[in-house]
Amino acid sequence: MHQSVLVTGASSGIGEEAAVFLAHKGFRVFAAARRIDKLKELNAVGAGRITPLQMDVTDKSSIDAALSKIAEYGAPLYGLVNNAGASAMGPVEKLPLSDWRTAFETNVFGLVAVTQAVLPQMRAAGRGRIINIGSITGRIASPFQGAYAGTKHAVEGLSDSLRRELVPFGIKVSVIRPGAINTPFGKHEAEMLEDYENDEVYGDQVKTFKAWFSKQHPNAPSPVVVAEAIHHALTAETPHSRYTAPFKMTYALVLRNLMPAAVTDRILERVNGLGKFRK
Ligand SMILES: NC(=O)c1ccc[n+]([C@@H]2O[C@H](COP(=O)([O-])OP(=O)(O)OC[C@H]3O[C@@H](n4cnc5c(N)ncnc54)[C@H](OP(=O)(O)O)[C@@H]3O)[C@@H](O)[C@H]2O)c1
């Protein structure tokens, strides 16, 4: 029997790529998301090892229903890839709390809810891997990404606690920090910024930031670089606690750790063009 892995947010982008990649590496993949029609398309490309499952990570009954279907497979899940994600873009002062809540419900509470639901079977098996998809934004927060950065910083912290709590049970926890990756996510983020382009307080800054931001994702690496990191975290005897994908983004994180925040601010402003607004 193949080892099984549940990938959330598998109807698009990184989750879709990871589901197909892992199926071709021999895993039995449970590919979950809300758009079941999109997931069914994976049957044709998943080496016959992908099972689509409807799951909204913000809805406990939906998580339970999906896990009941996985239980029919007859073996405990070996891996969980918490990948489902929602963004929220806009100035901290202006972004409606409903947008903050959607981001936290999906990226943090949803991730925790799926993890809580899966852990009993991993503990009983005495083994397992949990891979949480964070972001470079979980370490370096750009302006107008406050809500999203808040969720990804939360993923960093809760994953450290979880990793240390699960040591006695043989379950290993890794965080993957993608940089910009070429998926529909970035386009959606840029569209969200449009709501603030004519804002009387932040409009000019948002326009400048968006002009830079919109160019990042179309020219970014394919999600396969994240799928490779996920595969390593699932299969290495000693997986890393953190992966950056692509690896070269590690240098940005090293610099961020070494430099005072004021220096990082200036570098970011040079890159994204917002320096001209500095007073
Ligand atoms: N692309 C990047 O540059 C980048 C960079 C850093 C981190 N990330 C992270 O990588 C992860 C995947 O992003 P992506 O780029 O692949 O984005 P994407 O192409 O937009 O895919 C997002 C996935 O999340 C699912 N999803 C959203 N809300 C959900 C919910 N409530 N329940 C279940 N599934 C839900 C979506 O499926 P349905 O709509 O069908 O439910 C979709 O499959 C996210 O956690 C994101 O924060 C992405």
Side-chain angles (χ1 to χ4, degrees):
M1 195 176 274
H2 297 284
Q3 283 183 326
S4 61
V5 56
L6 167 61
V7 180
T8 69
S11 62
S12 172
I14 291 169
E16 179 179 351
E17 183 78 36
V20 175
F21 188 94
L22 295 174
H24 283 272
K25 292 287 184 186
F27 282 89
R28 156 65 49 195
V29 179
F30 295 98
R34 294 168 299 183
R35 286 171 293 168
I36 191 74
D37 290 349
K38 287 268 312 173
L39 293 170
K40 283 181 181 160
E41 293 168 13
L42 296 181
N43 283 333
V45 288
R49 283 192 284 273
I50 295 183
T51 305
L53 284 178
Q54 190 152 39
M55 184 201 282
D56 180 342
V57 299
T58 68
D59 176 353
K60 172 90 169 67
S61 60
S62 161
I63 296 170
D64 290 344
L67 286 186
S68 299
K69 291 200 177 131
I70 293 173
E72 289 168 14
Y73 179 62
L77 276 172
Y78 177 72
L80 166 62
V81 182
N82 279 311
N83 165 76
S87 194
M89 300 287 283
V92 169
E93 183 183 342
K94 302 278 178 149
L95 189 74
L97 280 178
S98 56
D99 288 2
W100 285 80
R101 289 198 174 97
T102 300
F104 273 84
E105 287 292 345
T106 310
N107 303 356
V108 183
F109 307 135
L111 176 152
V112 172
V114 179
T115 303
Q116 288 179 341
V118 163
L119 270 178
Q121 57 182 284
M122 287 189 179
R123 271 194 299 99
R127 64 175 187 37
R129 301 281 164 104
I130 296 178
I131 292 132
N132 293 333
I133 306 302
S135 172
I136 290 288
T137 312
R139 296 294 290 158
I140 303 174
S142 287
F144 313 124
Q145 282 194 299
Y148 181 66
T151 67
K152 294 300 184 178
H153 276 70
V155 169
E156 293 278 339
L158 73 87
S159 298
D160 277 339
S161 290
L162 186 66
R163 187 182 70 254
R164 290 166 183 149
E165 287 169 13
L166 295 180
V167 169
F169 305 108
I171 302 166
K172 294 175 177 166
V173 178
S174 299
V175 174
I176 313 239
R177 297 162 166 167
I181 301 293
N182 192 355
T183 73
F185 202 78
K187 184 165 179 282
H188 187 224
E189 288 183 305
E191 286 165 1
M192 289 172 124
L193 285 172
E194 285 169 14
D195 289 347
Y196 303 95
E197 277 183 314
N198 295 318
D199 184 86
E200 59 183 14
V201 181
Y202 294 98
D204 290 343
Q205 281 194 73
V206 169
K207 270 189 218 132
T208 299
F209 180 77
K210 182 169 167 273
W212 168 78
F213 186 83
S214 306
K215 291 190 200 122
Q216 303 311 306
H217 292 82
N219 301 313
S222 136
V224 75
V225 297
V226 187
E228 285 166 352
I230 292 170
H231 182 251
H232 189 276
L234 279 170
T235 55
E237 190 162 343
T238 312
H240 308 316
S241 64
R242 296 289 187 281
Y243 294 79
T244 42
F247 181 77
K248 67 178 183 190
M249 289 305 295
T250 306
Y251 303 119
L253 293 183
V254 170
L255 284 176
R256 177 254 184 236
N257 289 340
L258 293 175
M259 287 182 311
V263 178
T264 308
D265 290 352
R266 298 281 181 158
I267 293 172
L268 286 179
E269 285 171 8
R270 276 192 84 125
V271 170
N272 62 30
L274 291 176
K276 65 187 177 191
F277 297 100
R278 179 172 277 275
K279 281 201 178 136

